[in-house]
């Protein structure tokens, strides 16, 4: 079977997009960012006669701050994601309606998180704004050559699930019931987004097995979170992984494997020779990722044990 063009894929998958858009609209619960913000905690900054931010005003741990800022800056780069989806999905019909709806829901996440951080003075608002400007100016680029519609639906399936895991664990790390409730609400949105994309990719596998397997292999083996270009991203990512917000074990066990199992990727019998070859490549990659996860866990446990002995472990 010849490879399908981008236009053919869009046309064949549009009924699936329409059905899943309707499903999403039926399941999505409306909510308002302002309902999750403790406005009574807020006060003016110096420009309006109040006090500017200082570190002692924050009640968040270093780990929670790093995770909150990383998650918020990731949400902030929404224009880049919108552009990428619009270019791959088009803005016509059900595809366009979904892109618009998804963008509006994701924008709500950034609004709520920023309001929470600024009102509670949890982080330096000046540094946060500077980081937002820098991150959005740089934008994001796909690490994969020839990325297309199939790469798009595969990538956002994993990325939305990864974001759900990160938001949920960040909420717990904040040690604040308001932050926990807010991030649980956001995580619920991310889960519905993931299901839309996961269902789209499942239908793509049925339609074009080898083509979609190629996209899945590319994404799984080259996966990067969209916040990679953030200021201090690598340093914050290390801290987040070290204290269990999002690490390699979670990436493998809570993100990659559940999706691949849902797609029955290793049970399918409809792949051609190239799809079979790529499936074996992915299987080898996952086996190596398991070894890396074990190695990371062992190394982290030793490092945390040494820090506990010195009384240096950060509170999560």
């Amino acid at each position: 079977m010849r490879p399908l063009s981008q236009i053919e894929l869009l046309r064949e998958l549009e009924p699936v997009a329409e059905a899943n858009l309707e499903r999403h609209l039926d399941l999505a619960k409306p909510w308002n960012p302002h309902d999750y913000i403790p406005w009574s905690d807020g006060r003016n900054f110096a420009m309006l006669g109040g006090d500017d931010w200082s570190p002692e005003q924050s009640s968040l741990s270093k780990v929670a701050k790093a995770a909150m800022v990383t998650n918020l800056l990731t949400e902030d780069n929404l224009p880049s994601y919108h552009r990428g989806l619009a270019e791959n999905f088009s803005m016509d019909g059900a595809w366009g309606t979904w892109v618009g709806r998804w963008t509006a829901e994701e924008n709500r996440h950034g609004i709520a998180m920023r309001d929470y951080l600024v009102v509670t003075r949890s982080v330096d608002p000046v540094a946060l704004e500077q980081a937002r400007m820098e991150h959005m100016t740089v934008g994001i680029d796909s690490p994969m050559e020839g990325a297309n519609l199939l790469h798009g639906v595969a990538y956002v399936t994993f990325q939305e699930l990864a974001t759900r895991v990160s938001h949920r664990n960040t909420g717990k790390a904040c040690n604040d019931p308001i932050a926990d409730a807010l991030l649980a609400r956001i995580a619920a949105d991310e889960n519905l987004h993931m299901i839309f994309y996961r269902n789209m990719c499942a239908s793509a596998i049925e339609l074009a097995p080898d083509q979609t397997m190629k996209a899945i292999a590319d994404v799984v083996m080259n996966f990067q979170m969209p916040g990679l270009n953030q200021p201090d991203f690598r340093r914050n990512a290390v801290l987040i992984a070290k204290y269990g917000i999002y690490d390699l074990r979670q990436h493998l066990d809570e993100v990659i494997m559940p999706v691949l199992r849902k797609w029955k990727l290793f049970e399918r019998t409809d792949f051609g020779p190239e799809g079979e070859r790529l499936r074996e490549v992915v299987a080898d990659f996952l086996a190596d990722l398991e070894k890396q996860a074990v190695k990371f866990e062992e190394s982290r446990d030793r490092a945390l044990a040494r820090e506990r002995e010195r009384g240096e472990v950060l509170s999560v």
Side-chain angles (χ1 to χ4, degrees):
M1 180 177 179
R2 68 171 179 80
L4 298 179
S5 69
Q6 183 93 341
I7 297 298
E8 290 171 324
L9 288 167
L10 284 168
R11 184 175 62 245
E12 294 295 328
L13 290 172
E14 182 161 12
V16 183
E18 184 173 2
N20 278 276
L21 170 63
E22 292 175 359
R23 178 186 184 279
H24 178 83
L25 294 176
D26 286 341
L27 293 176
K29 296 180 179 179
W31 62 278
N32 300 301
H34 66 263
D35 287 331
Y36 289 83
I37 310 304
W39 298 105
S40 59
D41 291 352
R43 62 186 190 274
N44 289 344
F45 290 92
M47 184 175 176
L48 295 180
D51 299 313
D52 277 339
W53 184 86
S54 57
E56 67 273 7
Q57 295 169 0
S58 176
S59 62
L60 294 185
S61 69
K62 184 177 180 180
V63 176
K65 288 179 188 177
M68 282 290 280
V69 170
T70 299
N71 288 359
L72 174 54
L73 291 179
T74 298
E75 300 284 357
D76 275 336
N77 219 350
L78 185 60
S80 287
Y81 317 144
H82 174 91
R83 182 172 61 249
L85 288 183
E87 288 174 351
N88 277 316
F89 291 3
S90 90
M91 291 301 293
D92 297 325
W95 289 112
T97 303
W98 167 257
V99 171
R101 174 73 186 204
W102 175 87
T103 301
E105 292 185 3
E106 290 289 349
N107 191 42
R108 182 167 57 190
H109 301 166
I111 291 169
M113 292 177 69
R114 173 165 283 96
D115 284 349
Y116 172 85
L117 290 176
V118 173
V119 167
T120 61
R121 296 186 175 236
S122 294
V123 300
D124 181 352
V126 175
L128 184 64
E129 176 62 6
Q130 290 171 342
R132 184 187 72 86
M133 292 292 290
E134 181 178 341
H135 184 44
M136 291 185 68
T137 299
V138 174
I140 58 170
D141 292 310
S142 172
M144 293 162 285
E145 291 290 334
N148 55 28
L149 168 67
L150 298 178
H151 288 87
V153 292
Y155 175 78
V156 287
T157 299
F158 295 113
Q159 188 272 325
E160 292 281 7
L161 185 49
T163 305
R164 185 195 83 179
V165 171
S166 181
H167 280 314
R168 198 67 194 90
N169 290 335
T170 298
K172 296 174 184 177
C174 287
N175 197 30
D176 172 17
I178 295 175
D180 193 25
L182 169 61
L183 289 167
R185 177 62 264 174
I186 291 173
D189 279 1
E190 304 290 18
N191 193 60
L192 286 179
H193 296 164
M194 179 275 294
I195 291 172
F196 176 93
Y197 295 121
R198 189 184 66 191
N199 289 349
M200 293 306 307
C201 200
S203 294
I205 298 174
E206 298 289 339
L207 178 64
D210 282 22
Q211 271 182 273
T212 310
M213 184 64 230
K214 172 65 165 62
I216 292 170
D218 286 345
V219 169
V220 168
M221 294 190 294
N222 296 280
F223 186 85
Q224 295 176 344
M225 290 296 278
L228 185 67
N229 293 330
Q230 291 176 19
D232 299 321
F233 177 79
R234 295 188 184 280
R235 182 174 64 186
N236 287 339
V238 169
L239 195 62
I240 288 168
K242 185 176 182 180
Y243 288 91
I245 303 295
Y246 193 84
D247 59 26
L248 191 56
R249 172 58 64 194
Q250 290 159 324
H251 181 66
L252 178 61
D253 290 357
E254 298 180 34
V255 176
I256 298 295
M257 293 310 300
V259 170
L260 297 186
R261 283 194 292 268
K262 187 69 176 180
W263 289 334
K264 300 185 184 302
L265 201 75
F266 295 105
E267 304 166 32
R268 306 185 68 90
T269 59
D270 53 353
F271 289 124
E274 180 62 7
E276 293 280 3
R277 184 189 71 80
L278 289 168
R279 180 163 58 179
E280 290 302 314
V281 171
V282 170
D284 291 342
F285 175 83
L286 294 174
D288 184 63
L289 206 61
E290 169 65 28
K291 294 176 183 177
Q292 293 179 45
V294 170
K295 185 176 180 180
F296 169 78
E297 289 172 318
E298 292 173 345
S299 176
R300 177 177 61 187
D301 290 347
R302 289 193 298 268
L304 290 174
R306 289 193 297 269
E307 290 177 8
R308 278 191 294 270
E309 291 175 0
R310 298 192 297 265
E312 298 174 354
V313 175
L314 297 174
S315 62
V316 179

